[in-house]
């Protein structure tokens, strides 16, 4: 008897929890950031997922403003030597980025599944029709 699964309606929550977007029970990750090949519960193949550098970009973008605010506060409040920033600010920034990587990657994978995202392609017929429409419009405007 085949089980029926209800796909996620909230890809953000499902992805942040690291769960399968199809059954919401299986694990999305096999390691810290490595995706599992498929869901151990429903068998969904995760090969559709390609987050590229998205999680790293978002993680760095989110962490950079508070990290800069902290670094400025630390500098103006205590006037520490430069190496103190290496011992305090840099590790806090790195830990903040690493803490966000896995939830953001899960969210992006689940969003790709939810929105049925796939590789982009060029619709050559649409472009050919658009050129024809523009030519027709130009012809109509010149005949007025």
């Amino acid at each position: 008897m085949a089980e029926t699964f209800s796909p996620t309606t909230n890809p953000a929550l499902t992805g942040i929890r690291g769960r399968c977007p199809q059954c919401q029970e299986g694990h999305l990750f096999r390691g810290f950031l490595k995706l599992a090949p498929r869901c151990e519960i429903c068998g969904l193949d995760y090969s559709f997922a390609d987050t590229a550098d998205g999680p790293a970009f978002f993680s760095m973008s989110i962490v950079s403003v508070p990290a800069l605010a902290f670094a400025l506060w630390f500098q103006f409040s205590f006037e520490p030597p430069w190496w103190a920033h290496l011992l305090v600010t840099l590790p806090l920034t790195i830990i903040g980025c690493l803490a966000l990587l896995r939830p953001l990657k899960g969210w992006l994978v689940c969003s790709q599944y939810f929105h049925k995202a796939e590789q982009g392609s060029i619709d050559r017929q649409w472009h050919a029709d658009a050129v024809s429409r523009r030519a027709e419009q130009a012809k109509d405007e010149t005949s007025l």
Side-chain angles (χ1 to χ4, degrees):
M1 176 163 79
E3 289 187 55
T4 58
F5 300 104
S6 60
T8 184
T9 56
N10 188 342
L13 182 59
T14 304
I16 288 170
R17 289 176 51 226
R19 297 296 181 188
C20 170
Q22 182 168 277
C23 68
Q24 301 176 56
E25 295 175 20
H27 295 94
L28 197 56
F29 296 99
R30 185 170 50 180
F32 179 64
L33 287 176
K34 182 158 178 62
L35 284 178
R38 67 188 47 77
C39 176
E40 72 270 11
I41 305 294
C42 68
L44 176 66
D45 182 11
Y46 295 144
S47 64
F48 69 87
D50 181 19
T51 59
D53 292 335
F57 170 79
F58 289 121
S59 178
M60 289 185 301
S61 297
I62 292 167
V63 170
S64 64
V65 172
L68 178 62
F70 174 79
L72 290 172
W73 170 81
F74 187 53
Q75 180 63 38
F76 292 125
S77 295
F78 302 106
E79 296 183 13
W82 65 270
W83 54 264
H85 283 287
L86 290 177
L87 295 176
V88 177
T89 307
L90 184 62
L92 286 175
T93 305
I94 292 170
I95 290 168
C97 287
L98 289 174
L100 288 178
L101 277 177
R102 184 178 167 119
L104 286 171
K105 185 170 185 170
W107 180 4
L108 290 175
V109 169
C110 288
S111 291
Q112 287 177 343
Y113 177 83
F114 180 77
H115 296 289
K116 297 171 181 51
E118 53 187 45
Q119 185 69 31
S121 63
I122 297 173
D123 187 346
R124 298 191 189 286
Q125 185 59 47
W126 183 89
H127 286 286
D129 293 344
V131 169
S132 298
R133 285 191 301 272
R134 283 196 297 270
E136 232 174 82
Q137 263 182 340
K139 189 170 114 179
D140 289 345
E141 288 175 3
T142 57
S143 65
L144 292 176

